[in-house]
Amino acid sequence: GNAVAAIVQVECQYLLQLRDNKCGIFFPGHWGCFGGGVEPDESLDKALTRELNEELGLDVDAFVARYFTRFEFDLSFAGVAPIWRNFYEITIASTIFPKLRLREGKDMRLFSAEAILTGAIALTPYDSFALWLHINRGRLIN
């Protein structure tokens, strides 16, 4: 369903989550952004705050989450309503990173832009594209 995701930067690296190897989830065993589904009648800000607290113990209210981009997926071929994923960017201090605790997923790790861009890690395709846009945003601005 509809989801929010955070592009989390710690200095010049990106914090990613290794997804569980569970049947029924998109791209099990792949690295991706932290985030998750938006509950009915939940604002996007609340959903992002809740998800990052549940998954990392991160208090997003202490940081500025800036809207970055939105992807919409047309699933009419399957007779399903479109779904979307909103991406936000958050920068956290390197002193905060050691205080984070992984509460969902198999692992969390910091990756360089180079590791993300070269395909050195298996990334969920939609997060891969959002990260590519974030890393290359300077090239896209006229």
Side-chain angles (χ1 to χ4, degrees):
N2 299 325
V4 291
I7 297 171
V8 180
Q9 280 192 279
V10 181
E11 294 179 351
C12 294
Q13 296 185 302
Y14 290 87
L15 179 62
L16 300 178
Q17 175 193 49
L18 181 59
R19 298 173 61 78
D20 288 315
N21 265 325
K22 292 196 297 196
C23 288
I25 66 169
F26 287 171
F27 303 100
H30 285 64
W31 290 94
C33 295
F34 285 90
V38 178
E39 295 176 358
D41 299 325
E42 185 177 41
S43 73
L44 299 180
D45 289 344
K46 291 261 190 246
L48 186 66
T49 299
R50 177 185 50 74
E51 284 290 339
L52 293 179
N53 188 279
E54 287 174 3
E55 295 183 350
L56 278 173
L58 179 63
D59 180 10
V60 179
D61 293 336
F63 303 93
V64 176
R66 295 171 305 277
Y67 172 81
F68 182 66
T69 194
R70 172 186 171 109
F71 296 160
E72 187 165 317
F73 302 95
D74 179 359
L75 303 177
S76 61
F77 65 87
V80 177
I83 61 171
W84 48 259
R85 187 170 180 88
N86 277 23
F87 289 87
Y88 297 84
E89 53 183 349
I90 298 172
T91 302
I92 63 173
S94 57
T95 55
I96 300 295
F97 177 69
K99 298 175 185 173
L100 299 178
R101 296 291 170 258
L102 183 68
R103 296 176 176 168
E104 288 185 21
K106 289 181 66 172
D107 197 4
M108 69 175 183
R109 199 173 303 163
L110 291 170
F111 290 97
S112 67
E114 182 181 2
I116 291 166
L117 294 176
T118 59
I121 57 174
L123 285 164
T124 60
Y126 40 83
D127 291 341
S128 177
F129 186 48
L131 289 161
W132 187 94
L133 290 171
H134 195 264
I135 292 164
N136 289 290
R137 62 193 178 281
R139 292 174 40 192
L140 302 172
I141 298 170
N142 289 333

